[in-house]
Amino acid sequence: MDFQKIKEASQFIESKLTVKPELALVLGSGLGVLAEEIENPTIISYQEIPYFPESTVSGHKGQLVIGTLEGKTVLAMQGRFHFYEGYTMQQVTFPMRVMKQLGIQSLIVTNAAGGINETFNPGDLMIITDHINNMGTSPLIGPNDDRLGARFPDMSQGYDKAYIQHALQCAEELNLSVQTGVYVGNTGPAYETPAEVRMLRTLGGDAVGMSTVPEVIVASHGNMRVLGISCISNMAAGILDQPLTHDEVMETTDMVKQNFLQFVKKIISSLPMNR
Ligand code: HPA
């Protein structure tokens, strides 16, 4: 990844800001509403930012919203880039490089995902404890720039343990029942077959989606602390006797919006910011 491009993009963003963001948020399908709660927002469309790709999926807006949320200065991505859209892994994860360059050390990633674990229900929120990269590639393939991270980064702490504990504590204080589990990243864009869902369950997956894994790999490469939250928007293929649609995904995320907002805001308000 071209260091010069990362610097140009981050300098452009800095030129629009009078504040220094300390926490980044990636808002997944149907979860962009959180950005609407950001106070004194500066909005920067992805199109304006040098070297940023443009987002194409419905339910994804394609802009950065920077401002104050629960007393923290946040930079939110309202809409993200997916590998299935045809972007390279480096494009998909370019924003995480820019976040790091901006001095941001903590990241909350959210997504909509299909439930593999049969004890889950649509509408559940799942704190991601770990992931399985089932995309068959990695954003770190290619020459390593040591300024960005190590050649062989450790992934045993990809999802910050203290952040997981903090999120569980917040859920308890809100009386919100949440799941924990392993997120499997698939490329998509087709949803899984029932046989694939059984395979992923055997492999240890609890939820499956088409994002997050590349982003968390790059955030780890940059030594950022990550918290991941999945909204279980549907049961994965073959579990219930019904076809999957993107509309169902959007409907469920819309339904749990209030829980999601309340939960993430509570997490942010007291999130530990330094290692
Ligand atoms: N599979 C993959 N990605 C998804 C799903 C699913 O069932 N639901 C939402 N994103």
Side-chain angles (χ1 to χ4, degrees):
M1 183 42 64
D2 194 332
F3 195 60
Q4 195 53 39
K5 291 181 178 169
I6 298 166
K7 264 170 89 176
E8 271 183 54
S10 87
Q11 281 164 0
F12 174 84
I13 294 166
E14 273 169 345
S15 76
K16 304 266 175 194
L17 301 180
T18 53
V19 293
K20 198 168 161 54
E22 51 186 329
L23 169 66
L25 308 170
V26 179
L27 305 174
S29 293
L31 303 172
V33 281
L34 186 62
E36 286 159 27
E37 310 246 338
I38 295 173
E39 297 153 39
N40 302 315
T42 301
I43 296 179
I44 308 174
S45 160
Y46 293 163
Q47 299 159 27
E48 297 176 56
I49 308 170
Y51 309 109
F52 249 60
E54 237 180 277
S55 145
T56 63
V57 191
S58 77
H60 288 264
K61 254 189 178 149
Q63 59 190 24
L64 294 182
V65 183
I66 303 116
T68 308
L69 188 61
E70 296 296 317
K72 296 222 158 50
T73 309
V74 303
L75 174 147
M77 285 184 75
Q78 209 173 16
R80 58 146 64 86
F81 306 111
H82 301 88
F83 190 52
Y84 64 73
E85 293 176 86
Y87 302 117
T88 64
M89 279 282 171
Q90 283 73 26
Q91 287 176 306
V92 167
T93 54
F94 185 71
M96 285 71 226
R97 297 298 188 195
V98 174
M99 289 166 185
K100 175 72 192 198
Q101 184 65 26
L102 286 166
I104 298 172
Q105 295 188 48
S106 298
L107 171 66
I108 300 179
V109 281
T110 66
N111 58 55
I116 295 173
N117 186 321
E118 289 171 297
T119 68
F120 290 1
N121 289 298
D124 282 352
L125 298 176
M126 183 188 90
I127 299 167
I128 304 176
T129 53
D130 204 348
H131 77 213
I132 293 173
N133 178 6
N134 199 42
M135 292 187 166
T137 182
S138 164
L140 303 183
I141 287 174
N144 189 64
D145 186 335
D146 295 336
R147 290 170 292 188
L148 301 179
R151 172 74 287 190
F152 302 109
D154 176 41
M155 288 298 298
S156 66
Q157 300 272 345
Y159 298 83
D160 190 276
K161 287 193 168 62
Y163 280 7
I164 294 169
Q165 283 313 313
H166 174 68
L168 286 169
Q169 178 75 32
C170 289
E172 196 176 310
E173 285 168 23
L174 290 172
N175 235 334
L176 184 72
S177 95
V178 293
Q179 310 284 4
T180 54
V182 173
Y183 175 91
V184 181
N186 270 5
T187 64
Y191 290 117
E192 301 68 37
T193 64
E196 287 164 348
V197 171
R198 289 193 297 275
M199 174 188 79
L200 297 177
R201 185 180 301 123
T202 302
L203 294 179
D206 294 295
V208 56
M210 306 173 192
S211 65
T212 304
V213 161
E215 295 155 345
V216 173
I217 291 173
V218 166
S220 290
H221 189 232
N223 207 27
M224 294 169 82
R225 301 178 76 173
V226 176
L227 175 68
I229 303 170
S230 290
C231 168
I232 305 301
S233 56
N234 56 280
M235 293 312 288
I239 297 177
L240 305 175
D241 192 17
Q242 64 186 47
L244 294 188
T245 63
H246 186 57
D247 286 347
E248 180 189 356
V249 171
M250 300 305 285
E251 270 165 36
T252 311
T253 50
D254 196 56
M255 238 172 50
V256 300
K257 206 158 67 180
Q258 287 316 319
N259 278 349
F260 173 78
L261 285 178
Q262 189 192 26
F263 185 42
V264 179
K265 281 161 71 177
K266 171 112 181 151
I267 289 170
I268 293 172
S269 70
S270 46
L271 190 73
M273 298 304 294
N274 297 309
R275 276 197 201 269

